[in-house]
Amino acid sequence: MLMLAVYVGLLVQISHEGILSPTALSAASFFFPLLLAGILHMEEAYYMPYMIVYLITIPSMYILLVIYSLFNLFNVSWGTREVKEKKTAAEMAKEAQEEAELAAAEAKRKKDGIMGTLMGQFKFGESEGETGSIDFSLGNVLRCMCFTHEDPHEPKKQLVNISNSLQEVFQKVVKN
């Protein structure tokens, strides 16, 4: 009923202000594309009478959607919430293989010595060890990482731990 009152008020305002008023142009920019799409797609033209029901019930749909979502918060089968699933043997094997690859890369870096560790900090086009789910880059100049997360095998954290350990050893040596 609310939208019927809005449409009647809209028609009354357009009749008072004229067909070239901002209200009329705004209403036309909303309704005419809907009508044009219906005319251009004649196979679905029989849906056009339902457009009236849609336009009348727009506010109630937004209200009902909020009510539905609030009362179904416990239901995680819809929407974007993650549901923990048990991993299959293939997924567990894949994770073990990824961990083995990370360990091999770390061993290679340790084998290369301090220069290998330091040069490993610079990513010259490499994509291993990234901490972003989505990564946009323009060469090595600009980089945008979205949905970042902590990487447990990040070399910077390991360097900080090594530095802290060396600092402790140095302080113990200086005290003795």
Side-chain angles (χ1 to χ4, degrees), residues 8 45 76 109 121 156:
V8 169
V76 294
R109 211 176 3 240
Q121 302 302 310
K156 291 180 183 177

Side-chain angles (χ1 to χ4, degrees), residues 142-162:
L142 301 172
R143 179 178 230 168
C144 176
M145 294 174 52
C146 302
F147 309 106
T148 58
H149 57 279
E150 289 188 26
D151 186 2
H153 302 288
E154 185 177 6
K156 291 180 183 177
K157 289 182 182 178
Q158 293 173 355
L159 282 176
V160 168
N161 291 338
I162 292 171

Side-chain angles (χ1 to χ4, degrees), residues 40-65:
L40 291 176
H41 298 91
M42 291 308 291
E43 300 88 24
E44 289 88 17
Y46 58 90
Y47 289 127
M48 290 301 287
Y50 298 115
M51 183 177 75
I52 297 168
V53 175
Y54 168 75
L55 292 173
I56 291 172
T57 59
I58 284 176
S60 62
M61 287 186 288
Y62 289 116
I63 293 170
L64 290 176
L65 179 63

